[in-house]
């Protein structure tokens, strides 16, 4: 039996195990013994000086004659595992002097053995003198522990001398390294001398006046050091030696040598043979590069690489940990059975662009290892909660974890939350790495005033790596049973999705209702691409009755469009056909059947000239017979000369806008001409410069720029009162529009212009990362003539100075963002409109937003005064409040209201959110969301995250969820 800690390094994996012959009697090569310890010449007298060993600094004085000196023993500082060299004295015995004929020729007979010299001061301080009572030990091979030698196996020394009793007692009492010895039940081994490392050597003290280094006695380097004083370094020990001596642990050795496939065993007691069975008892430990096992006892069979472990078994495979009372395991195939295990598995989750680690824990009656990446369990539990917080877990009859496909699958499962079953399913399918997997998804449910109870039972079908489908049954309490489906596909040159919702026999509307959507994008080659965007619903009120999102319920027109685009080197040609379905009792708009557009840009013309052109042909159609229809052709060629340098730019440009109409007049304009043409030349000049300087803003250094700009436009007047209006409207007056040629959008109205716009922008740029921290802008437009071209029913402008624009935006204070703009009418001395938005976001999931928008009434639009407040705020370290209040002061009605609470349970999140949306002036939609989100597992209930992210700017998700919406869009 071997004692604690016995370590066996199995080399049978690298070479075949073989039976060892009996080890012959030990013969010592005299050349390995240092000269100072070799037998003295016959007749050599014992010097009296040898008995007078001076004490080192700080040590006790040596007696007049020590027992070691009396028996011919010299002491050298030798490094011993666990002790510094100066603190581990080792006794080396010198044999009695033989007959004169046997004396070595290198030592004169008349020269006595030298006494030890006093060590230098540095050595004396580090190495106290050896006390006479200190036991002497025997110097041994560096890689082997000291041996207790059976004296019957040792031949008597020459001359009939025997080992002195004092030295023999030291040999008998010398403690082994970390209790390492030879197992009595193990057969003799054939030892490969290359595995034994450097032979045992003694290290002499440094001569007086030299450094504190040591050299190997009896070597040429030592002899040279005696003359020159140059001392070679100490012989280093390899990791195998240090491990055998206990200087490093098995774990440290495996970490340093991950490529090693050797099997390492340690225990209090170890017996057996390397070619049959090894038994480890008492704090047993077995390690291999990727596997670690500890237990009270381990039985290991090297020929089959199988093991049995009992008592406090702990198996570690990578980052996975399993604990239990017993284990049967095959190391090579990673197969086995674990009884009553407690397990922890860790895997990396990819959520968008973020990579994080998730941890799953649980227990089972039986765990079967089916290879390196597959586990099967019976009567098992699974949870992502920590061991101290088991708020929820999934309990299943059988659980399969496949880490190769990174999927989990359970049968007859239920989810227990706070000790209460909240969901039962005959199948539980989930991803171990947030990847797609076929199976039933967690049901969702909610309540609305339009549908009553809203329960969705979805099934996900992972058809292929580039193709999937979601099919669900949606139970609407007051309306009936709806079928919902979504199909997605992705190829190298095309992608798209199709969605269909169908509600047969709506009990409230008393008719079948449906919604259909198709989006497809196709790249035929590097130059040609196409797209489809088809949307349709059964009636105009479908989304206001059955939609879940404000963006859906407030839709006015559904587009149905197909397009083709071909891109040349410097030109592009596109063709499209567009139709619209009108919703919410709004008037129809024109269909484009078709619309062809040609764009070109050449910037490599002689003299730095740049040529660009826009050409468009569109056929406008509408079902209203009172309105005009027809075909419109537009060509607008332009020629410019950009002149730029490092501090300024000037760009003059000239063009001619050509238009032609072929009309089918409606009954309201039957007397008007059906063929119209116009030609309007346009000239513009754009110039600006940039200055910069170092500046401070709220005590922080920035680079401040000052960018003045001037833009002049001149276009001739053409009477356009008889031209139809297919796609034109008055452009919004803002910083983007004031630097454009036309105050109208579209091609049906070309404004007569003789005006100049001046503006100045100042930016504050962070010199470290180049980001823009703040911006100030001021702009003004001046007119040199009255406006003549207007839209039908519009009022021509007569003032000479347009409204003044001013804006400020950026992070003006720490964690505080401001975005404000104002339009001031200098002629009327009144504010036309303004908006102010502020956001304070001191940390994640803590934000306050306030916004006010005002616009003065005009001939086309009414007065607008909207107040919008929203917040997400922590009440405690776990409770969060969310709210939004968007109120129209002019109309005295609530546009959208939202209020709720979130709770972060660590491994789960609960949400309760109430929302009310005004779909139009008379109708509102109310919804109540309940959601229980089990981190990295599933969501139960209806999902309010889309509403929270859209309604509260800066909203922060209090947990990093790996679950995606069931459908791509929550209709």
């Amino acid at each position: 039996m071997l004692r604690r800690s016995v370590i066996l390094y199995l080399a049978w994996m690298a070479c075949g195990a073989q039976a060892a012959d009996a080890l012959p009697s030990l013969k010592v090569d005299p050349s390995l013994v240092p000269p100072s310890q070799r037998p003295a010449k016959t007749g050599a007298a014992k010097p009296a000086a040898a008995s007078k060993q001076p004490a080192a600094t700080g040590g006790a004085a040596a007696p007049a004659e020590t027992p070691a000196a009396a028996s011919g023993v010299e002491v050298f500082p030798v490094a011993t595992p666990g002790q510094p060299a100066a603190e581990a004295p080792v006794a080396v015995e010198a044999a009695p002097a033989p007959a004169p004929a046997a004396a070595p020729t290198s030592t004169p007979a008349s020269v006595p053995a030298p006494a030890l010299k006093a060590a230098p001061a540095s050595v004396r301080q580090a190495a106290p003198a050896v006390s006479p009572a200190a036991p002497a030990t025997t110097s041994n091979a560096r890689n082997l522990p000291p041996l207790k030698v059976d004296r019957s196996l040792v031949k008597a020394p020459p001359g009939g001398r025997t080992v002195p009793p004092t030295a023999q007692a030291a040999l008998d009492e010398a403690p082994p390294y970390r209790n390492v010895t030879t197992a009595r039940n193990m057969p003799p081994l054939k030892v490969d001398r290359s595995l034994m490392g450097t032979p045992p050597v003694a290290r002499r003290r440094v001569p007086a006046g030299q450094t504190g280094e040591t050299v190997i006695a009896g070597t040429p380097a030592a002899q040279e050091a005696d003359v020159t004083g140059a001392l070679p370094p100490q012989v280093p020990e390899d990791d195998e030696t240090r491990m055998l001596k206990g200087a490093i642990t098995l774990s440290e050795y495996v970490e340093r040598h991950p490529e090693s496939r050797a099997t390492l065993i340690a225990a209090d007691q170890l017996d057996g043979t390397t070619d049959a069975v090894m038994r480890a008892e008492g704090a047993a430990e077995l390690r291999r590069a990727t596997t670690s096992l500890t237990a009270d006892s381990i039985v290991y069979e090297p020929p089959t690489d199988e093991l049995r472990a009992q008592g406090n078994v702990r198996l570690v495979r990578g980052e996975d940990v399993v604990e239990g009372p017993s284990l049967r395991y095959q190391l090579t195939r990673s197969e086995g059975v674990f009884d009553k295990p407690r397990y922890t598995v860790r895997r990396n989750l990819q959520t968008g662009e973020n990579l994080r680690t998730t941890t799953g824990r649980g227990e089972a009656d039986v765990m079967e290892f089916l290879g390196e990446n597959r586990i099967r369990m019976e009567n098992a539990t699974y949870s992502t909660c920590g061991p101290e917080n088991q708020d929820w877990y999934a309990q299943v009859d059988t659980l399969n974890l496949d880490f190769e496909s990174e999927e989990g699958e359970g049968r007859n499962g239920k989810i227990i939350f706070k000790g209460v079953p909240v969901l039962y399913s005959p199948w539980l399918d989930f991803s171990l790495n947030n990847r797609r997997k076929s199976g039933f998804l967690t049901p969702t449910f909610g309540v609305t005033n339009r549908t009553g109870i809203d329960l969705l039972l979805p099934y996900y079908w992972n058809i292929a790596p580039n193709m999937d489908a979601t099919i669900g049954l949606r139970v609407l309490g007051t309306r009936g049973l709806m079928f919902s489906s979504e199909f997605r596909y992705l190829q190298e040159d095309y992608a798209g999705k199709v969605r269909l919702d169908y509600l047969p026999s709506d009990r409230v509307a008393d008719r079948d209702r449906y919604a259909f959507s198709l989006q497809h994008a196709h790249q035929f080659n590097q130059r040609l691409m196409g797209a489809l965007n088809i949307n349709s619903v059964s009636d105009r009120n479908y989304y206001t009755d059955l939609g879940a999102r404000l963006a859906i319920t407030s839709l006015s027109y559904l587009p149905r469009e197909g397009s083709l685009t071909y891109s040349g080197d410097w030109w592009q040609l596109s063709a499209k056909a567009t139709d619209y379905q009108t919703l919410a009792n709004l008037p129809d708009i024109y269909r484009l059947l078709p619309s062809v557009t040609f764009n070109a840009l050449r910037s490599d013309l002689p003299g730095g000239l740049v040529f660009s052109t826009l050409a468009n042909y569109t056929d406008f159609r509408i079902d209203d017979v009172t309105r005009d229809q027809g075909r419109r052709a537009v060509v607008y060629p332009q020629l410019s000369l950009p002149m730029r340098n490092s501090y300024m730019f000037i760009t003059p440009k000239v063009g001619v806008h050509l238009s032609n109409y072929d009309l089918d007049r409606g009954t309201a304009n039957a007397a008007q001409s059906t063929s119209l043409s116009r030609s309007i030349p346009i000239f513009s000049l754009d110039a600006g410069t940039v200055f910069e300087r170092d500046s401070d803003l709220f005590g922080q250094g920035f680079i401040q720029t000052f960018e003045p700009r001037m833009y002049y436009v001149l276009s001739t007047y053409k009477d356009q009162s008889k031209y139809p209006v297919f796609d034109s409207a008055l452009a919004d007056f803002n910083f983007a529009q004031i630097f454009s040629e036309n105050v109208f959008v579209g091609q049906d109205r070309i404004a007569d212009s003789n005006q100049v716009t001046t503006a100045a922008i100042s930016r504050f740029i962070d010199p470290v990362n180049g980001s823009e921290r703040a911006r100030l802008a001021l702009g003004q437009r001046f007119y040199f003539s009255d406006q003549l071209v207007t839209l039908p029913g519009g009022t021509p402008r007569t003032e000479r100075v347009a409204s003044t624009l001013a804006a400020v935006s950026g992070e003006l204070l720490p964690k505080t963002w401001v975005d404000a703009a104002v339009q001031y009418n200098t002629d009327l001395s009144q504010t036309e409109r303004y908006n102010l938005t502020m956001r304070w976001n001191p940390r994640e999931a803590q934000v306050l937003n306030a916004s006010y928008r005002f616009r003065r009434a005009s001939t086309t639009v009414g007065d607008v005064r909207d107040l919008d407040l929203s917040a997400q705020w922590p009440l405690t370290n776990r409770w969060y409040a969310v709210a939004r209040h968007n109120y129209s002061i002019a109309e005295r009605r609530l546009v959208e209201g939202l209020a709720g609470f979130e709770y972060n349970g660590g491994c789960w999140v609960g949400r309760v959110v109430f929302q009310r949306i005004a779909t139009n002036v008379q109708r509102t939609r109310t919804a109540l969301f309940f959601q229980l989100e089990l981190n990295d597992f599933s969501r139960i209930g209806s999902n309010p995250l889309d509403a929270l992210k859209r309604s509260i700017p800066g909203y922060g998700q209090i947990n990093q969820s790996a679950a995606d919406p069931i459908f791509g869009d929550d209709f």
Side-chain angles (χ1 to χ4, degrees), residues 642-702:
M643 294 174 285
R644 297 176 178 270
N645 55 33
S646 60
Y647 57 89
M648 69 175 300
F649 68 90
I650 300 175
T651 306
K653 183 172 67 173
V654 63
V656 179
H657 193 284
L658 306 172
S659 306
N660 180 268
Y661 288 81
D662 182 13
L663 303 174
D664 298 327
R665 292 292 187 176
T667 56
N669 299 315
Q672 300 290 339
S673 174
T674 60
S675 181
L676 301 171
S677 297
R678 66 187 175 194
S679 176
I680 302 176
I682 302 175
F683 170 78
S684 66
L685 178 65
D686 192 6
T689 184
V690 177
F691 303 96
E692 67 178 40
R693 66 168 186 173
D694 294 333
S695 180
D696 290 334
L697 181 64
F698 303 110
Q700 183 176 353
F702 289 97

Side-chain angles (χ1 to χ4, degrees), residues 421-588:
V422 296
L423 178 68
Y424 170 80
S425 175
W427 299 279
L428 281 179
D429 299 311
F430 55 95
S431 171
L432 298 174
N433 197 18
N434 195 29
R435 295 186 179 179
R436 300 179 294 122
K437 182 185 184 303
S438 297
F440 284 97
L441 303 179
T442 306
T444 67
F445 59 89
V447 180
T448 71
N449 66 327
R450 294 290 180 183
T451 63
I453 295 176
D454 191 342
L455 174 64
L456 178 63
L457 305 174
Y459 178 84
Y460 179 78
W461 182 16
N462 186 21
I463 304 173
N466 63 332
M467 191 180 302
D468 64 6
T470 305
I471 304 169
L473 292 177
R474 185 179 175 190
V475 181
L476 305 176
T478 60
R479 296 183 180 270
L481 183 64
M482 173 183 284
F483 170 81
S484 298
S485 63
E486 183 181 70
F487 172 69
R488 300 186 300 178
Y489 54 92
L490 175 64
Q491 289 286 358
E492 184 177 354
D493 50 1
Y494 66 86
K497 63 180 179 179
V498 182
R499 177 164 179 174
L500 173 64
D501 294 336
Y502 179 70
L503 174 62
S505 301
D506 186 338
R507 291 197 293 263
V508 176
D510 195 21
R511 62 176 181 269
D512 295 347
R513 310 185 77 177
Y514 69 87
F516 174 78
S517 174
L518 167 64
Q519 284 86 39
H520 177 86
H522 203 123
Q523 187 77 41
F524 298 100
N525 53 49
Q526 292 183 351
R527 296 184 179 272
L528 180 63
M529 67 172 295
L532 288 174
N533 182 19
I534 309 299
N535 300 275
S536 179
V537 292
S538 57
D539 56 89
R540 295 189 173 193
N541 295 322
Y542 178 88
Y543 288 125
T544 58
D545 290 341
L546 305 176
R549 296 188 295 126
L550 180 61
I552 294 294
T553 59
S554 60
L555 281 176
S556 300
Y557 299 94
L558 281 181
R560 304 167 181 173
E561 181 178 272
S563 64
L564 284 173
T565 302
Y566 186 87
S567 300
D569 294 335
W570 53 273
W571 56 273
Q572 185 181 80
L573 178 65
S574 62
K576 67 179 180 179
T578 307
D579 189 11
Y580 296 94
Q581 181 178 4
T582 305
L583 304 178
N585 300 319
L586 295 173
D588 292 339

Side-chain angles (χ1 to χ4, degrees), residues 30 38-43 95-109 157-160:
R38 293 175 184 173
K41 268 192 171 185
T42 304
T105 58
S106 59
T107 305

Side-chain angles (χ1 to χ4, degrees), residues 276-492:
V277 178
M278 298 299 300
R279 298 177 180 85
E281 297 287 344
E285 181 179 9
L286 181 146
R287 282 192 177 266
R288 192 177 280 183
T290 59
T291 303
S292 171
L293 176 67
T294 59
D296 291 344
S297 66
I298 298 175
V299 177
Y300 175 57
E301 301 178 3
T304 61
D305 213 17
E306 296 180 358
L307 61 86
R308 297 184 302 276
Q310 296 287 336
N312 298 313
V313 182
R314 189 174 192 268
L315 175 66
V316 180
R317 302 196 313 177
E319 292 188 279
D320 299 340
V321 180
V322 188
E323 299 176 333
S326 63
L327 168 68
R328 300 186 302 277
Y329 197 71
Q330 210 284 338
L331 287 170
T332 304
R333 299 192 303 271
S334 299
E335 297 178 354
V337 179
F338 217 129
D339 295 330
K340 301 293 184 181
R342 300 178 305 277
Y343 67 91
T344 300
V345 294
R346 290 184 176 88
R347 289 297 180 270
N348 292 325
L349 284 181
Q350 185 72 43
T351 305
E353 298 180 354
N354 300 321
L355 183 66
R356 58 194 179 85
T357 301
T358 182
T359 302
R361 296 180 175 87
E363 300 178 352
D365 287 347
V366 177
M367 173 182 287
E368 299 179 27
F369 298 97
L370 306 178
E372 187 175 353
N373 295 312
R374 293 180 58 204
I375 296 175
R376 181 182 181 274
M377 289 179 279
E378 296 181 1
N379 193 19
T381 63
Y382 180 87
S383 176
T384 58
C385 293
E388 73 289 346
N389 179 25
Q390 286 290 335
D391 287 347
W392 72 267
Y393 60 89
Q395 183 175 348
V396 293
D397 289 349
T398 61
L399 178 63
N400 294 286
L401 302 179
D402 190 338
F403 298 115
E404 185 171 345
S405 61
E406 296 179 329
E407 297 176 351
E409 182 181 273
R411 291 293 179 264
N412 294 326
K414 56 185 176 181
I415 295 177
I416 311 297
F417 178 71
K418 294 290 187 179
V420 179
V422 296
L423 178 68
Y424 170 80
S425 175
W427 299 279
L428 281 179
D429 299 311
F430 55 95
S431 171
L432 298 174
N433 197 18
N434 195 29
R435 295 186 179 179
R436 300 179 294 122
K437 182 185 184 303
S438 297
F440 284 97
L441 303 179
T442 306
T444 67
F445 59 89
V447 180
T448 71
N449 66 327
R450 294 290 180 183
T451 63
I453 295 176
D454 191 342
L455 174 64
L456 178 63
L457 305 174
Y459 178 84
Y460 179 78
W461 182 16
N462 186 21
I463 304 173
N466 63 332
M467 191 180 302
D468 64 6
T470 305
I471 304 169
L473 292 177
R474 185 179 175 190
V475 181
L476 305 176
T478 60
R479 296 183 180 270
L481 183 64
M482 173 183 284
F483 170 81
S484 298
S485 63
E486 183 181 70
F487 172 69
R488 300 186 300 178
Y489 54 92
L490 175 64
Q491 289 286 358
E492 184 177 354

